[in-house]
Amino acid sequence: MVPVDQRGVYLPSGPDLFMPRCPVCEYRSQDWGEVASHLKAKCDLSDVKHVMWLNRNLTSRELGEEELARSLQEFFSLREGLAMWIRRKFVEKFYGERPHPFIVAMQNPTRGVLLGYVLEHQHFLRNWVRVLAAVIFKTDRDDVAKYEMENMCVEFFGFMGRPPHYELLIRMGESLGLSRAEILSTPPLPSTSSSIRTWRSIAESRHWVEVMAAMHSLELVADRTLRKYGAKVHYFRESILDSQEFPEAVRDFLREGYEADQHHAGEALEMVEKYAQDPEAVQVTVLKSFDAFSKYLSARLERGMQFEPQLVKVVKEVIQC
């Protein structure tokens, strides 16, 4: 019988703790050779999800089972620890040789790019606090619960006399010509909705450590230290914060996240590493969250096309990635 807690969440124990698993369907095995055999069999059957995972994360060329097993073992190696693994994989996916097109666009953001940011990100932030509430509900660690309550306050209510991130986001949209009513009444695009469904599914079905890792790893997007780990650019061109080319409300919103997320992500990942009893499960869940985040960042550009049709060139680049 599979062990679960009172909320129906899987509780790994004993020999199950460190079993390699398929990063797509979570087929569990005793060694990476069996996982490689499973993955290869799925790809031979043209299973789309397995093929896409290999293409995006390892290689698009065909590998033999032994080489694939070695590649998987290396990919999931935790020789630097779980927190550093998450950080490095985030950099590889979003800031590597080909940074995500939204991040490229943020080096010289236009009004359309920023409005796309506003209209989709409001839905991300609403979902964010709900998912963090799931961490609080599931955890038995007081330090984690207090950390998440502080995060929820920062996002939705403000903290230490500072406006909440959600309010700063709305003000940015207003400074760019949209009314508050227009912003709040705009529904999310399908890609944003799909990503939100992924994060809610993680919140409902996974261990709280996995939920915490899935969400707070995304804060790495604005971590100023990522250049030390191979990032080619920052989240946005830093000179924007001191420039008069953008409204003050734009600079206030970008500055707030830029100054906060480095601390938030780092502290959260330390907690994840401290409390993770099943690191491989955390790795798999984080990768699924990264895929959802990539789709969601693309939705920001797609929304921006409503204001600047020329952004279609950037969206095509997203589709090709």
Side-chain angles (χ1 to χ4, degrees):
M1 183 174 180
V2 176
V4 296
D5 67 7
Q6 68 270 24
R7 304 179 187 91
V9 178
Y10 172 69
L11 291 173
S13 60
D16 279 351
L17 265 178
F18 302 107
M19 293 175 65
R21 69 199 70 195
C22 172
V24 182
C25 64
E26 300 194 50
Y27 162 81
R28 299 166 69 83
S29 182
Q30 296 297 325
D31 58 60
W32 285 113
E34 289 188 9
V35 176
S37 178
H38 160 81
L39 264 172
K40 194 171 188 312
K42 288 291 186 180
C43 290
D44 288 344
L45 293 172
S46 299
D47 182 274
V48 174
K49 290 183 178 180
H50 287 76
V51 171
M52 288 180 64
W53 189 91
L54 281 175
N55 288 344
R56 288 173 176 172
N57 295 282
L58 290 184
T59 179
S60 59
R61 69 182 181 88
E62 186 174 357
L63 300 178
E65 286 188 19
E66 289 187 8
E67 186 178 4
L68 179 55
R70 288 194 298 271
S71 296
L72 286 167
Q73 186 171 12
E74 176 64 24
F75 183 88
F76 287 101
S77 171
L78 291 174
R79 67 175 64 92
E80 294 184 284
L82 181 57
M84 185 57 70
W85 184 91
I86 292 171
R87 186 178 294 272
R88 291 197 184 281
K89 292 305 178 189
F90 188 91
V91 170
E92 288 174 13
K93 186 172 184 68
F94 295 100
Y95 283 98
E97 292 300 324
R98 298 184 64 189
H100 192 285
F102 178 78
I103 293 171
V104 174
M106 283 297 291
Q107 303 310 303
N108 291 288
T110 62
R111 176 176 179 268
V113 168
L114 293 172
L115 285 176
Y117 192 161
V118 170
L119 292 175
E120 297 309 304
H121 198 51
Q122 62 169 321
H123 302 290
F124 176 94
L125 290 182
R126 289 171 181 166
N127 182 66
W128 174 269
V129 295
R130 287 160 174 78
V131 173
L132 297 193
V135 175
I136 295 171
F137 172 70
K138 291 184 174 185
T139 188
D140 57 351
R141 302 291 182 174
D142 288 345
D143 57 341
V144 171
K146 290 176 181 178
Y147 173 81
E148 296 298 17
M149 283 188 279
E150 178 184 325
N151 267 274
M152 294 169 71
C153 286
V154 168
E155 295 297 344
F156 246 39
F157 300 107
F159 190 70
M160 303 286 287
R162 304 172 77 169
H165 290 177
Y166 186 75
E167 173 61 23
L168 292 174
L169 178 74
I170 302 303
R171 292 178 188 177
M172 178 167 80
E174 290 178 313
S175 75
L176 294 167
L178 290 186
S179 70
R180 184 172 293 252
E182 288 176 301
I183 296 169
L184 297 180
S185 64
T186 301
L189 288 172
S191 291
T192 297
S193 294
S194 174
S195 296
I196 287 174
R197 285 194 297 273
T198 295
W199 290 315
R200 290 198 176 185
S201 175
I202 289 172
E204 292 167 0
S205 64
R206 311 303 296 195
H207 189 278
W208 67 262
V209 175
E210 295 175 56
V211 183
M212 193 176 193
M215 300 313 294
H216 288 292
S217 61
L218 306 182
E219 291 183 300
L220 289 170
V221 74
D223 187 334
R224 287 177 290 179
T225 70
L226 292 186
R227 294 293 287 268
K228 294 193 303 184
Y229 306 101
K232 303 301 180 182
V233 294
H234 290 292
Y235 183 40
F236 55 83
R237 177 167 47 85
E238 290 181 294
S239 61
I240 290 173
L241 298 179
D242 299 314
S243 171
Q244 299 301 312
E245 62 182 310
F246 297 97
E248 183 178 4
V250 171
R251 289 179 275 130
D252 286 345
F253 173 76
L254 294 178
R255 180 181 294 107
E256 185 71 17
Y258 204 45
E259 293 178 349
D261 283 353
Q262 175 183 340
H263 168 71
H264 282 167
E267 187 174 350
L269 294 184
E270 287 176 5
M271 290 182 176
V272 166
E273 181 155 349
K274 177 181 179 181
Y275 293 121
Q277 294 185 332
D278 188 356
E280 290 163 351
V282 174
Q283 289 174 292
V284 170
T285 300
V286 163
L287 292 175
K288 291 179 179 178
S289 181
F290 285 178
D291 286 341
F293 193 57
S294 180
K295 180 186 292 187
Y296 159 66
L297 291 182
S298 300
R300 293 180 181 179
L301 290 176
E302 182 182 351
R303 177 69 73 183
M305 288 170 52
Q306 296 181 2
F307 305 95
E308 294 174 10
Q310 63 268 31
L311 286 176
V312 68
K313 295 181 180 178
V314 184
V315 175
K316 285 182 177 179
E317 183 181 348
V318 172
I319 295 173
Q320 292 170 358
C321 289

